[in-house]
Amino acid sequence: ADPKAPPPPSRRVYLRDFAEVIDGTENQRVSVYLNRQPAVKLSVQKQPDANTITVVEGVKQRIKQLQQSGLIPADMVLTATTDESRFIRNSLNDVIFNAISGALLAAAAVLLFLGSLRQTFIISLAIPLCSLAAIAMMKLFGLSLNVFSLAGLTLGIGQAIDTSVVILENISEKAGKTPNQREEDLGTRRLGDKENSEFFIESAIASSQEVESALVAATAANLVSVVPFLLIGGFISLLFNELILTIAFAVAASLVVAVTVVPMLTSRLLAIRWSSGISKFWLLKQFNRRFEDATRLYGSFLRKILRFRLVVVTAALLILGGGSFFMVGQIPQEILPRINTGQANLRAQFPPGTPLETSQKVMQVVDEILMKQPETEYAFTTVGGSLFGNNTTENPLRANSTINLKEGTDVEKYVKKVTQQLNKLNLAGILLRLSPGQVRGLILSNTPAQGSEIDVILQGEDEEKLRIAGAQVLQALEEKATSARFRPDGDPRQPEIQIRPDWERVANLGLTAQQIGATIQTAIQGSVPTQIQRGNRLVDVRVQLNTEAIQRPSQLEGLPLFTENNKQIRLSDVARIEEGQAPGEVQRINQRQAFIIAGNLTEEASLGEAIAEVNQVLKSIKLPDGVSIIPSSAQETNQELQDALKTLGALAVFLIFVVMAVQYNSLLDPLVIIFTVPLALAGGIFGLYITKTAIGATVIVGVVLLVGIVVNAGILMVESANQVREEERCTREIAILKAAPQRLRPIMMTTVTTILGLFPLALGIGEGSEFLQPLGIVVFFGMAIATMMTLFIIPCLYILLHEFRPGDWAKPVLMRLRYLRKNLKTKV
């Protein structure tokens, strides 16, 4: 061009001249449905230190205000598909109900044994006093009222009653209040009001001091038994920390109330001349007569048993030890019990290359099956990815449903029934897994396969070998394993269009990988260079090619690129376009490639059975060179639980023994008392066996608590026998024969009140009760069986261990050795 020539006139070019401007919406890649109706999901997440119930109530109140103001249209239906406050509220209410029921049953037992409204009132008053003191300590230590802390209060109620019952019964007995002398006789003693009051005050002081040593030892044993939980750490300590601390607070408060409030109230109330006359009721009179008969029968029977004390102890060890060894092998194992949340979760995984439209159609059929079930309240389905909080994950190969069930539905049976109907669909390559809902946030192991109960993890350096080995293991598990349903945790390889640039040519033309990528992204997905404002909203301006122009790989070849001098070239000039496959998900553990298989237990299957079955299947598979199986996280967690049971139990027993050895300044008496522990363990194992309850974390907590509780009966019996022996200067056999019948009533009262306080918990009544039910079963059966055995075994051991003299036993052996040596010298 002539440089002197004038420039050509400029021409204005409008966007409409070469592009189509559409006022539309972004392409929807993730869809949600509520009962097959299109919906929008809104998630509200609380702050870590916020109260769930308070937040939910605040949200509901705010929604009402928005509806009343008209900001939420009247025809818009809002449904809470997930309301964590409902489960928390119901669980708390059920735990409170169990606590109140247990307290009432324990009070009824006290009334039955003592036959006095006054004494029942004293014990009933001790329950709220101990609870309030424990709650005050919880506030001081920053604990909250939740399922665990309230369960700790429930367990602490029985122990709080025990301490008060022992002191109250001893005061009543020393003051002349026995089943033979009824309530009305106490108020008519031939003393003046002042003398009568002073008599009961002095009696209360003396009687309290008499059993004070035993109560201190029992309370110290209860407290030190839970110390290992605070020292061992791990998820057990983290999970049950509030429960353990609450129990410790309640037990400590029970001792303070028992040695202060109970003697004071007893001395005042028993001095009142008025009588309710309740002891004249036929039921109470008959019970006390029968109990006195049983006490005399127990004394005479114990006298006969003591003649064969070595045989009795040996037989008990053989029978209980052998029976426990047999039963413990038959008890299933688990990490934590399954909790009925009233929900079921469905996960769908589609084969590679499945378009989003196909996923939509399949989930529509699945939703129709779910909605036909009479137990289904509503089903919330997400197709094309997942939604959690404010995070949206797009994945056309994944879909899920959250099914809320009607109240009282058996989730396990529902899952089994619907799974059978889903299997009839015969969807080739599509995995549909329905499982019971889980409590959100309760993660038990470090497995990378979230939502699974058991996993199998393969590792290797060669991706192809690892994929083939993973498919082989998965197929074997599906064919041979019946205790769990397995699925690949990661997505399979996906088809994709691969663009491979010629980097030398790209550099010669002055292009970069970023420029090429931005051009391709704008063409296919679009780019957002700016936003425009509409009222109070900012709307994206998206630039992209017409979708019809980018449908095939050949059309990508003609995609225009511009070099530095604005010269136009095609994508095919600098790159090769191929069809290939890419990993749908890259999984690595410790920097090595992994193939993760996730599994969920079938109905009534236990974790121990599933682990054993998986290990058996893996032994029969020959893996390619370079591929190995790393330990399952579920198996490691289960092994940690088994080790924790031994460690915690041993530490608890050792600490209790040390405390009692210091208390009694002796080793033999603590050995006698500690023997109640194996009796309790045998009872707990029997309870787990007959109720088919699996051994898990809650059972471990129950065992350690049982160890601290069960020694109380032995402490009372041994302490009383030592006092009788010291006062009357008699033999140990006479002392135990006198002390055991005397302490039968308080031992039975404390045992009955404890097991009745735990009875609602052991029944597992209410929502979420499955979590703590194993704990209640262990303590319930352990206390019941151990107490019955303690009444006979402890007296036998009390005499046997003190009769045992190592020097006396070794003396005949030493004499024989000396004789042989002397005889040998003579012959030489």
Side-chain angles (χ1 to χ4, degrees):
D2 187 358
K4 297 181 180 180
S10 60
R11 186 171 68 90
R12 181 175 296 177
V13 179
Y14 294 94
L15 194 59
R16 62 173 177 265
D17 295 336
F18 59 87
E20 182 181 8
V21 181
I22 301 173
D23 190 357
T25 59
E26 185 179 358
N27 293 333
Q28 185 172 356
R29 301 177 184 274
V30 181
S31 303
V32 294
Y33 301 91
L34 181 63
N35 294 340
R36 286 315 305 169
Q37 298 297 319
V40 175
K41 180 183 180 182
L42 173 66
S43 299
V44 179
Q45 292 179 287
K46 72 178 185 66
Q47 295 294 334
D49 57 346
N51 185 294
T52 302
I53 296 178
T54 303
V55 171
V56 172
E57 291 300 324
V59 171
K60 291 180 179 179
Q61 186 65 30
R62 183 58 178 162
I63 288 175
K64 288 182 181 179
Q65 296 174 359
L66 295 175
Q67 289 174 332
Q68 293 172 357
S69 64
L71 291 177
I72 296 181
D75 60 346
M76 181 181 292
V77 179
L78 299 178
T79 304
T81 57
T82 301
D83 184 356
E84 294 185 10
S85 70
R86 173 181 170 272
F87 175 76
I88 295 173
R89 196 190 310 274
N90 292 342
S91 299
L92 292 176
N93 291 337
D94 292 332
V95 173
I96 293 173
F97 172 78
N98 290 339
I100 295 175
S101 302
L104 292 177
L105 289 173
V110 172
L111 178 62
L112 188 64
F113 274 96
L114 297 180
S116 170
L117 283 178
R118 305 177 194 182
Q119 299 180 64
T120 304
F121 170 75
I122 294 172
I123 296 300
S124 301
L125 185 62
I127 296 174
L129 288 177
C130 295
S131 300
L132 289 174
I135 292 173
M137 294 295 292
M138 290 169 58
K139 176 65 176 177
L140 184 63
F141 280 79
L143 305 184
S144 61
L145 282 176
N146 51 51
V147 175
F148 293 98
S149 59
L150 286 175
L153 287 176
T154 304
L155 295 169
I157 284 175
Q159 300 181 56
I161 295 176
D162 290 353
T163 313
S164 299
V165 161
V166 172
I167 282 189
L168 179 62
E169 192 275 339
N170 201 52
I171 294 174
S172 301
E173 183 181 358
K174 297 300 180 182
K177 177 66 179 72
T178 63
N180 293 324
Q181 186 175 2
R182 295 306 171 200
E183 196 174 51
E184 60 271 13
D185 298 334
L186 284 173
T188 58
R189 302 179 71 86
R190 297 185 181 277
L191 296 170
D193 291 340
K194 184 176 181 180
E195 291 83 357
N196 191 41
S197 177
E198 291 178 354
F199 167 78
F200 279 105
I201 292 175
E202 293 174 358
S203 178
I205 295 174
S207 302
S208 301
Q209 293 175 346
E210 185 176 318
V211 295
E212 192 174 284
S213 176
L215 294 181
V216 170
T219 303
N222 290 336
L223 291 176
V224 299
S225 67
V226 300
V227 170
F229 280 104
L230 307 178
L231 301 178
I232 196 170
F235 89 93
I236 297 180
S237 176
L238 180 64
L239 194 62
F240 295 98
N241 185 49
E242 293 192 357
L243 182 143
I244 297 301
L245 287 176
T246 306
I247 292 176
F249 297 153
V251 170
S254 69
L255 179 63
V256 177
V257 171
V259 299
T260 56
V261 177
V262 172
M264 182 272 294
L265 286 177
T266 305
S267 64
R268 298 301 180 182
L269 293 180
L270 294 187
I272 299 175
R273 296 181 181 276
W274 174 85
S275 172
S276 64
I278 195 172
S279 60
K280 296 180 180 179
F281 285 177
W282 178 85
L283 177 62
L284 297 180
K285 292 176 67 175
Q286 290 298 318
F287 176 81
N288 280 284
R289 287 176 181 174
R290 297 294 178 267
F291 193 85
E292 289 177 2
D293 294 340
T295 302
R296 288 191 292 269
L297 181 62
Y298 167 66
S300 61
F301 187 60
L302 182 61
R303 187 182 300 275
K304 296 178 182 178
I305 284 181
L306 289 179
R307 299 175 185 173
F308 310 97
R309 44 187 174 268
L310 183 59
V311 176
V312 171
V313 173
T314 304
L317 287 174
L318 292 176
I319 295 174
L320 294 177
S324 301
F325 182 78
F326 167 77
M327 288 184 289
V328 77
Q330 308 296 321
I331 299 175
Q333 299 175 3
E334 64 184 3
I335 298 176
L336 278 180
R338 294 180 179 178
I339 303 175
N340 183 3
T341 60
Q343 291 183 332
N345 295 326
L346 183 140
R347 297 171 180 265
Q349 185 172 345
F350 300 92
T354 303
L356 186 59
E357 294 76 11
T358 303
S359 303
Q360 295 272 14
K361 293 179 182 178
V362 172
M363 292 309 297
Q364 182 176 357
V365 175
V366 171
D367 282 348
E368 290 175 357
I369 294 177
L370 295 175
M371 295 309 301
K372 288 180 181 178
Q373 309 304 318
E375 302 91 345
T376 301
E377 186 174 358
Y378 50 81
F380 179 76
T381 302
T382 304
V383 184
S386 61
L387 304 174
F388 181 76
N390 56 359
N391 296 324
T392 301
T393 303
E394 298 178 1
N395 189 341
L397 305 184
R398 292 294 179 99
N400 61 80
S401 293
T402 300
I403 305 101
N404 280 57
L405 305 176
K406 295 178 180 177
E407 190 173 354
T409 301
D410 189 329
V411 181
E412 296 285 347
K413 291 183 180 179
Y414 176 87
V415 169
K416 183 178 181 181
K417 179 181 68 171
V418 176
T419 299
Q420 292 175 351
Q421 297 182 22
L422 294 176
N423 292 336
K424 295 178 181 179
L425 296 177
N426 293 324
L427 300 173
I430 300 177
L431 299 177
L432 298 175
R433 302 296 187 190
L434 186 64
S435 60
Q438 296 180 344
V439 179
R440 180 172 295 177
L442 194 60
I443 301 174
L444 304 179
S445 62
N446 59 347
T447 173
Q450 294 187 6
S452 66
E453 295 168 296
I454 185 172
D455 54 35
V456 178
I457 303 175
L458 287 77
Q459 278 194 320
E461 299 296 340
D462 191 321
E463 181 184 350
E464 185 64 22
K465 287 185 178 181
L466 185 62
R467 184 178 60 83
I468 295 174
Q472 180 184 359
V473 172
L474 180 61
Q475 181 180 359
L477 290 173
E478 290 177 344
E479 293 175 353
K480 301 178 182 179
T482 58
S483 299
R485 298 183 298 270
F486 294 91
R487 57 179 169 82
D489 182 61
D491 291 329
R493 297 178 67 85
Q494 309 294 319
E496 67 177 8
I497 303 298
Q498 298 176 350
I499 301 174
R500 302 183 179 277
D502 182 348
W503 296 112
E504 183 177 354
R505 183 163 177 75
V506 168
N508 292 334
L509 293 174
L511 293 174
T512 63
Q514 183 179 4
Q515 292 174 332
I516 297 175
T519 302
I520 296 173
Q521 180 182 4
T522 301
I524 298 176
Q525 188 178 357
S527 59
V528 181
T530 186
Q531 293 176 312
I532 62 174
Q533 186 167 356
R534 283 185 176 176
N536 58 353
R537 295 180 58 197
L538 289 175
V539 179
D540 291 342
V541 177
R542 183 174 297 274
V543 181
Q544 66 182 51
L545 288 183
N546 192 328
T547 55
E548 296 179 358
I550 306 294
Q551 292 290 331
R552 298 181 302 275
S554 59
Q555 292 176 311
L556 277 176
E557 295 178 353
L559 195 66
L561 298 173
F562 292 91
T563 62
E564 292 179 350
N565 55 2
N566 283 335
K567 180 181 178 182
Q568 179 179 327
I569 62 173
R570 294 182 302 172
L571 180 61
S572 59
D573 294 334
V574 294
R576 187 176 71 256
I577 300 176
E578 301 174 347
E579 292 188 14
Q581 287 188 334
E585 186 175 352
V586 177
Q587 296 177 325
R588 292 181 183 272
I589 296 178
N590 295 332
Q591 303 301 317
R592 293 187 65 198
Q593 294 188 71
F595 187 95
I596 303 173
I597 300 174
N600 291 94
L601 302 179
T602 57
E603 185 182 12
E604 297 181 354
S606 71
L607 180 63
E609 295 174 355
I611 291 176
E613 199 172 49
V614 168
N615 291 335
Q616 190 66 28
V617 173
L618 294 178
K619 288 180 181 178
S620 62
I621 300 176
K622 185 178 180 180
L623 297 175
D625 294 336
V627 177
S628 60
I629 297 177
I630 66 175
S632 165
S633 59
Q635 185 172 355
E636 287 183 340
T637 305
N638 186 61
Q639 187 60 44
E640 288 177 7
L641 286 178
Q642 307 307 317
D643 296 339
L645 177 59
K646 302 173 185 176
T647 304
L648 289 172
L651 280 174
V653 172
F654 173 74
L655 291 175
I656 292 173
F657 179 82
V658 170
V659 168
M660 289 188 296
V662 173
Q663 177 76 16
Y664 293 112
N665 195 24
S666 169
L667 293 180
L668 292 181
D669 286 344
L671 281 176
V672 174
I673 297 170
I674 283 294
F675 197 81
T676 57
V677 173
L679 301 179
L681 294 180
I685 291 172
F686 176 74
L688 295 175
Y689 178 76
I690 64 172
T691 58
K692 297 181 180 179
T693 303
I695 297 177
T698 49
V699 169
I700 293 174
V701 177
V703 167
V704 177
L705 294 177
L706 177 62
V707 169
I709 298 172
V710 77
V711 296
N712 295 352
I715 290 174
L716 277 177
M717 193 175 291
V718 171
E719 178 83 8
S720 181
N722 288 339
Q723 289 179 358
V724 170
R725 185 167 175 270
E726 184 178 349
E727 292 173 359
E728 301 184 5
R729 303 293 181 180
C730 58
T731 63
R732 295 188 184 277
E733 184 172 353
I734 296 175
I736 197 67
L737 283 173
K738 185 175 182 180
Q742 284 181 353
R743 291 304 176 195
L744 180 62
R745 183 178 291 268
I747 288 175
M748 294 305 298
M749 286 177 63
T750 54
T751 301
V752 170
T753 53
T754 300
I755 63 177
L756 286 180
L758 289 168
F759 187 63
L761 192 65
L763 288 178
I765 301 174
E767 190 169 2
S769 59
E770 305 91 347
F771 193 80
L772 294 173
Q773 185 181 13
L775 186 152
I777 289 175
V778 168
V779 180
F780 182 89
F781 281 92
M783 279 292 296
I785 295 178
T787 301
M788 299 305 298
M789 299 297 296
T790 297
L791 295 176
F792 301 100
I793 302 299
I794 293 300
C796 294
L797 275 173
Y798 180 74
I799 299 174
L800 274 176
L801 289 181
H802 284 87
E803 286 179 342
F804 176 73
R805 295 287 188 272
D808 296 342
W809 287 54
K811 188 175 181 180
V813 178
L814 293 175
M815 292 179 64
R816 182 62 179 171
L817 289 175
R818 291 191 187 113
Y819 172 78
L820 291 174
R821 187 177 64 177
K822 183 179 180 181
N823 192 26
L824 182 62
K825 287 182 178 180
T826 302
K827 291 182 178 179
V828 172

